[in-house]
Amino acid sequence: MEEVACLNGRFLPLSEACISVNDRGFLFGDSIYEVARAYRGRIWALDRHLERLRRSLTAIAITGVDLDQVRENMVEAYLRAGGDDALIYVQITRGVAPRSHVPHQPLVPTVLITVRPVEDLAGRSREAGVSVILVPEVRWQRRDIKSTNLLPNILAKQEAHARGAYEAIFVTDDGWVNEGSSANLFIVQAGVVRTPPNGPSLLPGITRDLVVETARREGIPMEELPVSREALLAADEVFLTSTMSEVLGVSAIDGQLVADGQVGPVTRQLQAAYRARVEAGDDA
Ligand code: PDD
């Protein structure tokens, strides 16, 4: 498939898309983003991604973005790329102006959409599960905004990879587990699934919300309640959710096996149920 970009409404090959050095997204990380996935000709959960994009824009007071146009351009870029499965990235910055913390004139937001093939890194690990490490929660207090300021996430993920793990999980000083560097976290204890509640502490993951709904549909007991470090380490099953990972079992935490180190039955049931929804295009 082609790698396609749409920059401020103009379609071009991804390799030719250029952003100004005065773009506030580049200078300050003054921007928000979305990552969506397309399966076999359809952008999965597009309405939900656009709604979260709208929330993020409102949260950082970027105005003047036509989200219907963004939707149209996402679909058009995906069609032009000509693939089946693809990753669709959207970034909206406050715009371009000489570097100054407060912009001196009204700005026109920069809207970038890119479409690339999906590298399903997690696919190989789906059967065996992945290992994770625990890292201190050092991020700001509005983790619900999908901001491109991802330095703590990047450093945490790099540390995980350097230690042979797939993901890093942020844990607060007082022992509460929030989420991973690019995924939400669930535990299963005595057949009950638990994930931390949405709020400023974590990103309201699209996959997270779909999995919460799927668990309820499947009749699996599901609670959105805080998860302590102790509960995480004592869990029968642990899994991650994200656009890229879908539902991904965790086999070890800081080198210690989760239960017997196998991906557990509830995780497998939710993996299958989520996949069935994807196959059916059931993202409402
Ligand atoms: N990351 N938490 C964080 C901090 C994330 O960055 C992500 C997604 C998630 C899962 O959200 P969703 O289910 O909507 O993908 C949770 C994206 C994929 C990324 O940054 O590439």
Side-chain angles (χ1 to χ4, degrees), residues 32 43 70 155 164 236 249:
I32 51 86
I43 303 178
V70 171
L155 294 178
D236 297 332

Side-chain angles (χ1 to χ4, degrees), residues 242-254:
S242 77
T243 299
M244 285 302 299
S245 306
E246 301 182 350
V247 177
L248 184 62
V250 172
S251 53
I253 303 170
D254 280 341

Side-chain angles (χ1 to χ4, degrees), residues 85-117:
D85 295 356
L87 201 67
I88 297 136
Y89 177 77
V90 182
Q91 180 171 349
I92 303 181
T93 84
R94 200 175 303 280
V96 178
R99 188 180 184 283
S100 159
H101 285 63
V102 178
H104 294 304
Q105 74 259 31
L107 303 183
V108 178
T110 301
V111 181
L112 172 70
I113 299 166
T114 66
V115 181
R116 294 190 300 123

Side-chain angles (χ1 to χ4, degrees), residues 33-35 49 52 87 89 139 143 146 150 153 170 179-184 202-209 241-244 274:
Y33 76 110
E34 276 297 319
V35 180
H49 282 286
R52 190 171 62 186
L87 201 67
Y89 177 77
R139 298 176 297 164
R143 301 163 208 133
K146 201 158 172 61
L150 291 171
N153 307 53
F170 290 112
E179 61 179 335
S181 73
S182 65
N184 292 106
L202 53 94
L203 187 80
I206 305 293
T207 322
R208 173 206 179 278
D209 292 354
T241 64
S242 77
T243 299
M244 285 302 299
Y274 184 80

